[in-house]
Amino acid sequence: MGKPQPILSSLEAKDYKSTVKPIWCPGCGHFGIESALFRALAHLGLPPEQVAVISGIGCSSRLPAYTECYGFHGIHGRALPMATGLKLARPDLTVVVASGDGDAFSIGGNHFIHACRRNVDMTCIVMDNEVYGMTKGQPSPTTPPNWDCKIAPGGTGVSPFSPLMVALASGAGFIARGFSGDRNGIAKMLVEAIRYPGFALLQVLSPCVTFRPEEKDWRLQVHPSELPTTANWAEATRRLAADDGMTTGIFYKAELPLYPATVMEPIDQLNAIETELTL
Amino acid sequence: MTTLVTLEELLAYAQTMEEEAVERYQELTDLMEVHHQKEIAQLFRTMAQIESKHVDKVAGLVADRDLPHLAPWEHQWLDADSPESVPIGQERYQMSPQQALLLVLGCEERARDFYQSVVDSSPDPAIRQMAAEFAEEERQHAQLLRDWLARLPPDAGKKAGRVDLDEPLAQD
Amino acid sequence: MNTLVSPMDSVAVAIVGSGGAGSITAGSLLLEAAGRIGWYGLMTRSVGPQIRGGEALAMVRLAGAPVGSHGDHFDVLLALDWHNADRFVDEVPLNANSLILAEAEAGEPPAVIMASGARLVTLPLESLAEGVEEGRPNIVALGVLARLLALPLDELLIVASRALERKGLDVDLLQETLKTGYDAAEILDDSIRALPPAPARGTRWRLTGNEAAALGALRGGVRFAAVYPITPATDLSEWLAVRLQRVGGHLIQAEDEIAALNMVLGASYGGIPSLTVTSGPGLALMSETLGLAVAAEVPAVVVNVMRGGPSTGIPTKSEQSDLNMALYGLHGDAPHLVLAANTVSDCLSATQWAVQLAEALQCPAIVLSDQFLGQSQAVCEQPVDHDGLGVASRLVAVEPGSAGRYDRYALTDNGISPMALPGTPGGQYTADGLEHNAHGIPSSRAADHRAQLDKRRDKLLHYDYGPLWADEEGDGELAVVVWGSATGPVREAAARARAQGLAVKVLSLRLLFPVQPTRLSALLAGVQRVLVVEQSHSQQFYGYLKAHYALPGEIRVLNQPGPLPIRPAAVLTQLLQWR
């Protein structure tokens, strides 16, 4: 043979898949995201027990139970602060957040902004199907204004916002978008996102086959960015301002100061602190 | 156009294609089971078993060669994903056997097209030959699927055609 | 233990001033100096709404035994000026035995203050201060008080220079200013109200309840905290932030209270004992997350420094009106720990114990402190290591899955199931707010819900809480049942009642949930009359006792809402009327 062996991870994508069968509908885009995550983790060679998947509530947030990693299926909108606490307490772990457009941008909007700003090392996957899937189809902050639904007949009349621009303005240093139909594309970006030493945001357009069947056309509309990733904030702003919402790729990746502290070895003993209080 | 340089590369691609096909069919089997579409689940289970045999076959060809390690995204498929896997998002709740088989047929045809593109683009005769063999196999698989489709009883998928009267249900 | 028997056993001094007069500083220095020579004491403060320059009142009570509350009257009111001072009239009750020392140039005291019948003496504090370079009237006033209380000047100088050198004040000039006041107070030599100097004592501390709670958390093993600022809890977080870092921990300020508690859960899930600190409005925001901690069985401690409610209420004042929310404020059947501190130093024990219990029982613990305890400075005994207090210990799954599949929520005899920490191979599970089976898979089945509800309830019920659950003092057919900061005035009233020959038992509950009805009945065996004392408008504590306990004999309730503290005399009157 003679050829030097490349260093291979002995882990395969299927090592990250638990025996729990997903309840996502046939045709759901989330299957692609799950698959991509497993491929990325396998490629990185991260033992499943070293990875924690934190989620809120929604179809997206069912993901942790489908993995062989540690997981926490928390409450609606609060995955990001929970992941933050975990990472600060256990910097040795790889922390991935699984969230959705309602979970991250509506009820979780405040936490989203501050997670971008704080830059604690974690990867946040927002599975954006532009609807609240789990509660039978309500509009989310990324739903178009004219989408007719029961809770807002004729549509909300309220325009969606641009989560990636919000992320950029809030200080996120890694901003990317993928499409669930391209799991290899997502997997590649996830590898970079997980490796990124800070808060990495990956929005994945993921059609909801049950409540937004028209989203099946997304696969014809998404297209990769023609421009390479920029590390320049102003340039990223220009690109996102011109973004059609269907462009995939890593828009922005910059070196930013990491959140400065975690739980670590002590400097002092408690006794030294207690003498402060002594008369 | 996918230009492969070595036989090992071609085998690596073939291995990935078959393994990913198995994974995807297993995923589809599970999801159809969860949604109580037994007939379709069995169809995909059968396909998973068939593709498993192809995995073994490719493994036999690989023997003790050193295959290059390619990350999933480093494969230059003709489309975004491996040709032989049912693309994400294409399956449907209450799809009929015809629809399912057409999906599978699509996989085989895309696999055939991929190998054909290798034949058409490779300067290496050994690669062209192996790729041609693979392409021919996929053609045969496609034909088997067309036969399967033709054999479907006329009322196959009648149950699937029955609209689910229940509304989709809230969970959390 | 509070052994104050009569008002003559203590001296109470109030100092009021505005616009940067420094009354709070003066009060704090007085307490510290008195503490150094052996007195015990308590200092609280009251302020106007301004951030700076508002009217400010320092209330100091000194005694030969630990002080748990303010008394019924103040012996001395020292006024650096009278601006808006009538806002404090309810907090500084005076009588004919009281002495008012007022700045000579400050004009007439408010009529409502003079109506007490107190004796007024004016002193030219301002012009005395002007006579010394950098002289300040509040330091002159301290010199006056030193003479009045027979406090050695050099003790005051030591504490003043330590505190004020940082702010640029010269030590020699301080000394001169103090002496100026001391000399000027010669005219008060007939009014000396000192306590005799105390004998030499062991190590004593000067700290606030908030500092004590923070230290209790550290002693219990907390190494991560996430908080959101809110009055009157913020100074706890600030004290904790610095010390936590020194012991290798970390405190993060979150974007809101909901984030804070979720961060705590994340860190705790990762294996680190974690805590948050808030007040009523913040605890209200945390309800849903507390329920998650219960359902997913994740340890967490929330210190609630209660303030006047409801809603924004009275942020700078104390009340015991969050009891209902702490006990019952979670949706679903969500049993969890509720504890209360009953003195400033007990804030340490209660919090430390809460950390231990939360970790041992894998559930959230709410520790109820209040603004009075949290922000009072006390000179007290160094908190000893109680029996039962130590570093928290969590049942961690060491080799999960080695004996078959690891079940995070396995049904064990005592309801506590080993917890696998992330990073441990074989222990992977998904913690979930959804109801689940023993393995942690979500389940809506009746048997699983029942089994897990039983588990979460029974683990709390079966635990042996030991002697810390309540403080019991005295004996008699008349008992007072109390909790939190109301304990201080109750203990003092009980001591006075006993001095008048009335046997009184005092029971102060530290563990509010799970309830301990058998143990309470045992402690109240033979009691014929029970007085319930609490600082809430709607008798929340009485409602709690009625719901969960069988109180013997006749019951009466003495309750009032904040902002004013319960006075010992008010309790004593009830006791004596009921002998």
Side-chain angles (χ1 to χ4, degrees):
Chain A
M1 321 236 183
K3 203 166 65 164
Q5 295 280 10
I7 296 166
L8 301 176
S9 158
S10 60
L11 288 161
E12 297 177 325
K14 61 180 190 288
D15 295 327
Y16 298 88
K17 192 170 164 57
S18 78
T19 55
V20 179
K21 298 179 188 179
I23 51 92
W24 297 321
C25 300
C28 179
H30 295 356
F31 284 103
I33 302 169
E34 181 198 28
S35 181
L37 177 62
F38 296 166
R39 289 177 183 190
L41 293 173
H43 183 76
L44 290 164
L46 293 166
E49 70 269 11
Q50 297 284 342
V51 181
V53 185
I54 312 298
S55 68
I57 299 287
C59 290
S60 61
S61 298
R62 293 289 181 133
L63 180 64
Y66 306 152
T67 77
E68 268 298 287
C69 308
Y70 278 88
F72 206 140
H73 183 206
I75 48 179
H76 198 26
R78 320 294 175 189
L80 283 169
M82 180 174 282
T84 301
L86 177 60
K87 182 68 184 183
L88 294 183
R90 295 288 307 279
D92 56 303
L93 300 171
T94 297
V95 177
V96 176
V97 169
S99 187
D101 41 303
D103 194 76
F105 303 146
S106 188
I107 184 170
N110 187 30
H111 307 309
F112 177 70
I113 290 169
H114 294 280
C116 291
R117 184 174 70 92
R118 221 174 259 130
N119 205 28
V120 171
D121 183 18
M122 66 178 70
T123 300
C124 177
I125 307 172
V126 180
M127 306 183 199
D128 191 350
N129 50 19
E130 295 184 8
V131 76
Y132 280 68
M134 199 132 256
T135 43
K136 288 176 67 173
Q138 291 77 39
S140 88
T142 49
T143 306
N146 56 354
W147 182 63
D148 183 42
C149 57
K150 287 183 196 172
I151 206 168
T156 59
V158 180
S159 298
F161 71 176
S162 164
L164 300 191
M165 288 197 81
V166 171
L168 186 64
S170 304
F174 182 110
I175 300 175
R177 178 190 290 123
F179 173 62
S180 64
D182 176 17
R183 52 194 164 150
N184 281 336
I186 298 172
K188 186 171 182 215
M189 286 192 282
L190 273 176
V191 167
E192 250 189 277
I194 293 170
R195 281 187 176 142
Y196 178 74
F199 179 81
L201 173 64
L202 176 61
Q203 173 198 29
V204 183
L205 301 173
S206 186
C208 176
V209 62
T210 299
F211 295 110
R212 303 285 318 270
E214 67 273 25
E215 289 174 354
K216 69 174 165 29
D217 292 339
W218 278 359
R219 65 189 176 90
L220 304 171
Q221 296 163 19
V222 294
H223 60 95
S225 174
E226 286 159 10
L227 299 166
T229 305
T230 181
N232 182 285
W233 193 84
E235 175 57 28
T237 308
R238 277 190 290 275
R239 291 192 201 173
L240 285 178
D243 174 44
D244 61 0
M246 287 285 156
T247 307
T248 60
I250 302 172
F251 294 95
Y252 177 63
K253 181 172 155 186
E255 210 180 294
L256 296 177
L258 257 191
Y259 183 82
T262 59
V263 176
M264 59 174 84
E265 287 310 305
I267 307 157
D268 244 333
Q269 296 305 313
L270 259 189
N271 301 342
I273 291 163
E274 297 193 0
T275 56
E276 279 178 53
L277 300 166
T278 311
L279 264 177
Chain B
M1 281 309 184
T2 309
T3 308
L4 301 178
V5 179
T6 65
L7 273 179
E8 281 77 15
E9 245 187 305
L10 175 58
L11 284 165
Y13 271 68
Q15 189 177 64
T16 302
M17 263 172 57
E18 300 303 329
E19 286 175 350
E20 289 193 6
V22 172
E23 263 177 39
R24 182 65 172 133
Y25 284 129
Q26 283 171 340
E27 182 174 83
L28 288 163
T29 305
D30 284 344
L31 86 90
M32 288 305 171
E33 283 282 357
V34 165
H35 291 86
H36 300 293
Q37 306 299 297
K38 301 271 186 220
E39 208 187 330
I40 306 302
Q42 184 51 39
L43 192 153
F44 286 128
R45 186 177 293 113
T46 305
M47 286 312 307
Q49 286 158 358
I50 291 171
E51 295 296 351
S52 285
K53 294 205 183 80
H54 298 170
V55 168
D56 296 340
K57 191 164 173 206
V58 172
L61 289 173
V62 170
D64 48 8
R65 294 173 198 259
D66 281 331
L67 297 190
H69 176 70
L70 293 164
W73 48 89
E74 284 169 340
H75 297 76
Q76 292 165 66
W77 308 118
L78 297 178
D79 301 309
D81 217 341
S82 160
E84 204 161 359
S85 302
V86 175
I88 297 291
Q90 293 294 294
E91 69 277 12
R92 287 292 180 271
Y93 172 55
Q94 292 197 313
M95 64 193 317
S96 68
Q98 289 96 323
Q99 288 166 326
L101 284 173
L102 282 169
L103 272 187
V104 176
L105 175 60
C107 294
E108 302 305 320
E109 288 176 339
R110 281 192 302 275
R112 172 207 64 204
D113 290 345
F114 173 77
Y115 288 127
Q116 190 57 48
S117 81
V118 175
V119 171
D120 294 342
S121 65
S122 179
D124 185 324
I127 293 178
R128 283 201 301 273
Q129 183 183 345
M130 186 178 276
E133 284 165 16
F134 287 153
E136 180 49 34
E137 278 175 31
E138 300 301 346
R139 254 179 224 105
Q140 289 168 9
H141 298 162
Q143 187 51 51
L144 286 169
L145 282 159
R146 284 190 205 94
D147 295 342
W148 188 354
L149 264 163
R151 278 196 320 270
L152 281 178
D155 64 350
K158 189 177 78 165
K159 239 176 113 181
R162 218 191 288 156
V163 166
D164 184 345
L165 295 176
D166 291 343
E167 292 286 311
L169 286 175
Q171 292 296 334
D172 289 343
Chain C
M1 288 313 112
N2 188 309
T3 59
L4 284 177
V5 174
S6 82
M8 290 314 293
D9 277 359
S10 75
V11 166
V13 177
I15 306 170
V16 70
S18 70
S23 44
I24 308 297
T25 302
S28 193
L29 293 174
L30 182 65
L31 176 73
E32 193 181 353
R36 285 171 57 88
I37 63 159
W39 291 356
Y40 292 90
L42 187 75
M43 176 183 134
T44 59
R45 58 171 198 222
S46 191
V47 293
Q50 306 90 323
I51 293 166
R52 307 214 69 174
E55 49 277 17
L57 169 71
M59 293 166 277
V60 181
R61 190 178 188 202
L62 304 169
V67 179
S69 76
H70 282 303
D72 303 315
H73 299 100
F74 279 80
D75 299 296
V76 180
L77 169 60
L78 191 148
L80 299 167
D81 61 66
W82 289 115
H83 301 309
N84 272 355
D86 46 351
R87 92 163 30 241
F88 300 126
V89 67
D90 291 333
E91 296 175 82
V92 189
L94 301 168
N95 61 18
N97 294 326
S98 307
L99 174 66
I100 302 175
L101 297 173
E103 161 59 46
E105 301 303 311
E108 286 298 308
V112 64
I113 288 175
M114 291 312 296
S116 62
R119 172 184 159 210
L120 173 66
V121 173
T122 62
L123 291 163
L125 302 168
E126 281 279 357
S127 65
L128 286 170
E130 273 162 33
V132 181
E133 198 187 326
E134 286 180 19
R136 304 167 79 89
N138 67 332
I139 305 299
V140 174
L142 269 180
V144 170
L145 290 171
R147 188 173 189 133
L148 188 62
L149 304 176
L151 247 181
L153 257 190
D154 45 340
E155 291 293 342
L156 262 175
L157 180 61
I158 290 169
V159 303
S161 45
R162 213 165 45 194
L164 301 176
E165 237 174 340
R166 258 177 273 136
K167 302 204 176 168
L169 277 70
D170 178 84
V171 175
D172 294 327
L173 294 174
L174 272 175
Q175 182 171 31
E176 204 184 322
T177 314
L178 283 169
K179 185 154 193 317
T180 305
Y182 190 89
D183 293 341
E186 197 181 341
I187 59 167
L188 300 171
D189 279 352
D190 63 332
S191 312
I192 288 180
R193 300 169 183 253
L195 299 177
R201 303 189 190 275
T203 313
R204 286 164 322 122
W205 285 8
R206 182 178 63 102
L207 81 176
T208 65
N210 279 348
E211 290 164 346
L215 183 57
L218 293 175
R219 279 193 179 180
V222 164
R223 290 299 178 264
F224 179 82
V227 304
Y228 190 74
I230 183 170
T231 304
T234 310
D235 49 71
L236 195 167
S237 306
E238 290 173 338
W239 193 93
L240 183 61
V242 173
R243 284 85 190 168
L244 198 51
Q245 188 172 25
R246 284 164 60 188
V247 296
H250 184 62
L251 180 144
I252 178 172
Q253 180 181 302
E255 56 271 25
D256 60 35
E257 286 88 346
I258 302 176
L261 186 56
N262 276 276
M263 289 180 185
V264 164
L265 291 197
S268 181
Y269 167 77
I272 306 293
S274 304
L275 163 145
T276 187
V277 179
T278 189
S279 189
L283 183 62
L285 286 174
M286 294 178 184
S287 294
E288 191 196 4
T289 309
L290 284 166
L292 176 64
V294 171
E297 300 199 52
V298 178
V301 175
V302 180
V303 177
N304 178 15
V305 187
M306 294 182 291
R307 65 197 223 174
S311 188
T312 313
I314 310 178
T316 54
K317 292 294 189 226
S318 203
E319 201 168 66
Q320 292 186 302
S321 51
D322 290 347
L323 180 61
N324 281 350
M325 173 165 68
L327 290 167
Y328 311 122
L330 309 190
H331 72 273
D333 285 311
H336 55 281
L337 296 156
V338 181
L339 296 90
N342 60 20
T343 65
V344 167
S345 66
D346 194 48
C347 290
L348 189 157
S349 323
T351 307
Q352 183 174 3
W353 197 34
V355 175
Q356 286 177 257
L357 291 178
E359 289 287 317
L361 294 164
Q362 298 175 15
C363 76
I366 301 173
V367 181
L368 295 174
S369 171
D370 60 33
Q371 183 276 330
F372 178 82
L373 297 176
Q375 297 191 316
S376 291
Q377 267 189 67
V379 172
C380 57
E381 301 290 354
Q382 175 179 13
V384 292
D385 286 325
H386 278 269
D387 238 347
L389 284 183
V391 178
S393 168
R394 187 190 295 191
L395 182 62
V396 169
V398 175
E399 280 188 353
S402 59
R405 183 184 76 167
Y406 168 62
D407 284 345
R408 165 69 187 100
Y409 302 107
L411 305 176
T412 60
D413 289 336
N414 65 1
I416 304 172
S417 48
M419 187 183 204
L421 300 184
T424 312
Q428 289 96 301
Y429 73 99
T430 293
D432 214 319
L434 283 172
E435 188 57 281
H436 41 262
N437 63 15
H439 184 58
I441 304 296
S443 167
S444 58
R445 308 200 60 181
D448 288 328
H449 188 39
R450 175 64 69 107
Q452 292 293 318
L453 283 168
D454 285 349
K455 176 188 197 293
R456 296 187 293 253
R457 176 196 62 192
D458 293 345
K459 69 179 178 180
L460 294 179
L461 290 187
H462 293 162
Y463 192 79
D464 178 6
Y465 293 96
L468 286 169
W469 85 276
D471 291 341
E472 181 207 10
E473 297 120 35
D475 223 335
E477 289 181 349
L478 174 53
V480 186
V481 181
V482 69
W483 74 283
S485 60
T487 305
V490 163
R491 281 178 172 152
E492 185 167 336
R496 289 198 221 162
R498 290 182 199 115
Q500 296 185 43
L502 177 59
V504 180
K505 171 180 287 226
V506 174
L507 203 54
S508 175
L509 304 194
R510 183 175 292 105
L511 181 70
L512 293 164
F513 199 89
V515 298
Q516 310 289 302
T518 314
R519 300 179 77 179
L520 188 106
S521 292
L523 290 180
L524 291 181
V527 167
Q528 311 272 5
R529 299 180 295 288
V530 175
L531 177 66
V532 177
V533 177
E534 58 172 308
Q535 197 186 22
S536 89
H537 184 253
S538 61
Q539 301 183 341
Q540 292 187 19
F541 186 52
Y542 177 47
Y544 155 83
L545 290 170
K546 266 195 298 187
H548 303 292
Y549 294 89
L551 296 176
E554 212 190 315
I555 323 288
R556 288 188 187 173
V557 185
L558 170 61
N559 70 294
Q560 65 180 63
L564 297 175
I566 295 172
R567 300 272 172 205
V571 181
L572 180 63
T573 305
Q574 289 291 318
L575 295 175
L576 294 176
Q577 276 174 2
W578 214 17
R579 356 176 35 126

